[in-house]
Amino acid sequence: MAPRKSPFFDTATTLGKIVAFLGISALCGVLAAGLLVPAAAVAGVGATSSLEYFDKLPAELNTNPLSQG
């Protein structure tokens, strides 16, 4: 006699299809988040370095007078 399968993971049932869909969706979400983490890190480093650059600027910029020509 063949071993009986659990109907919970049987993809022929509606519940099995829902469980499979949710599992694949969760896996795809984890993969997408893993691909976007480096982009977020680069954006954070860029924002931090631009803040440091603007903090080093003088409080008031000097401008030369316009020529009378």
Side-chain angles (χ1 to χ4, degrees):
M1 194 177 211
R4 191 171 166 189
K5 291 184 178 180
S6 170
F8 187 71
F9 292 107
D10 186 14
T11 55
T13 65
T14 303
L15 182 62
K17 289 179 183 179
I18 292 172
V19 168
F21 175 75
L22 291 176
I24 291 172
S25 297
L27 180 64
C28 290
V30 168
L31 290 175
L35 290 173
L36 293 177
V37 165
V42 168
V45 169
T48 302
S49 62
S50 66
L51 284 174
E52 291 173 0
Y53 174 75
F54 283 112
D55 284 341
K56 291 178 184 176
L57 289 176
E60 191 172 317
L61 296 176
N62 298 327
T63 58
N64 295 330
L66 296 176
S67 63
Q68 301 285 327

